[in-house]
Amino acid sequence: INTAAVPAEVGFGDTYPKGIENGIQFRNISFAYAGELKILKNLDLTIKSKRITALVGPSGSGKSTIVDLLAGFYLPSSGEIIIDGEPLQSLNLEDWRSTIGYISQEPFLFSTSIRDNIALGMQSAKEEDLMQAAEFAHAADFISALPDGMNTVLGEGGYGLSLGQRQRVAVARAIARQPSLYIFDESTSGLDKETAASVEKTIRTLSEDSTVILITHRETAAAIAHDVY
């Protein structure tokens, strides 16, 4: 049995993640999907706390695999991932994932109001917190300009908003959860120059209090990072 293909729920512990003050370490990590050559081999990687770390490379180079392992979707075939001094497998998986804010290249929005999209899964979210998240994501201005503001109902997949606007709503949704770790996966790819600049500004601001991983295939997009691999 290839342990890399085993869901990571197997063997995870019940330690509650306390945040990321001392960073993340990948120690001698190797991994291969079932039936494939190793994607990662003896990887050593340090992701420092409250900084932007960029993972740069073409498709298939292992960037997304690193994030999949970090989120606990798979177990490494060898090696260890340390989160703020604790082995990843000792953490409660659900609690650990709740500390991660993930923003993809093509964010999915639901056919409901912008408010509900930002507050997704947060039943007790306060209006001022949602608006503050929108402000941080540079989304407040265009939301306020809509006829119904935060109550504007979107079409399926966010129809009615541009890609850049959908991206900023998705960023606001992540910010509203106040995660310890943000993962931006090709999040500025396909955006116009002005919108990309606003998202990059948000990323810089978030790194002042949180740890940020930026996944990109473009070296120019990694220019805002403190550390580049």
Side-chain angles (χ1 to χ4, degrees):
I1 298 175
N2 180 1
T3 56
V6 176
E9 284 83 351
V10 177
F12 266 58
D14 56 7
T15 300
Y16 184 79
K18 300 176 182 178
I20 305 175
E21 292 295 328
N22 300 315
I24 300 168
Q25 290 83 41
F26 282 65
R27 298 178 179 173
N28 201 34
I29 292 290
S30 293
F31 177 82
Y33 294 103
E36 296 186 14
L37 297 175
K38 282 187 177 180
I39 304 296
L40 302 175
K41 183 177 181 180
N42 306 125
L43 172 69
D44 289 313
L45 173 65
T46 296
I47 298 170
K48 297 177 183 177
S49 161
K50 298 180 182 178
R51 291 170 68 87
I52 304 170
T53 298
L55 305 178
V56 185
S59 299
S61 60
K63 306 186 302 299
S64 295
T65 299
I66 290 173
V67 171
D68 286 346
L69 292 172
L70 184 56
F73 294 126
Y74 296 99
L75 298 174
S77 51
S78 63
E80 191 173 35
I81 300 174
I82 305 297
I83 311 294
D84 216 44
E86 296 283 350
L88 178 57
Q89 284 182 253
S90 73
L91 301 181
N92 178 284
L93 184 58
E94 183 178 354
D95 289 337
W96 165 238
R97 286 178 180 168
S98 73
T99 70
I100 300 174
Y102 178 79
I103 302 95
S104 67
Q105 180 178 355
E106 297 183 4
F108 184 83
L109 301 183
F110 293 90
S111 181
T112 183
S113 69
I114 292 178
R115 173 187 286 101
D116 288 345
N117 269 285
I118 296 176
L120 186 66
M122 300 171 59
Q123 296 180 352
S124 59
K126 297 180 180 179
E127 185 74 12
E128 57 265 33
D129 293 336
L130 299 181
M131 286 303 300
Q132 186 177 48
E135 292 272 3
F136 268 107
H138 297 277
D141 286 346
F142 83 78
I143 291 174
S144 298
L146 296 172
D148 295 319
M150 291 281 275
N151 294 317
T152 300
V153 176
L154 305 177
E156 190 65 37
Y159 181 79
L161 299 181
S162 69
L163 173 59
Q165 290 171 334
R166 295 199 303 271
Q167 189 66 279
R168 282 177 280 180
V169 171
V171 172
R173 181 166 59 197
I175 292 173
R177 284 155 183 71
Q178 299 182 333
S180 300
L181 172 65
Y182 289 91
I183 298 172
F184 288 84
D185 191 350
E186 299 283 7
S187 299
T188 60
S189 178
L191 300 182
D192 62 79
K193 187 175 181 179
E194 182 178 352
T195 304
S198 69
V199 173
E200 289 171 354
K201 185 176 180 180
T202 299
I203 293 172
R204 289 192 188 96
T205 302
L206 293 174
S207 70
E208 295 174 5
D209 296 303
S210 305
T211 303
V212 177
I213 296 176
L214 180 63
I215 298 175
T216 180
H217 66 278
R218 297 182 296 121
E219 292 186 7
T220 53
I224 63 172
H226 301 100
D227 304 298
V228 180
Y229 294 97

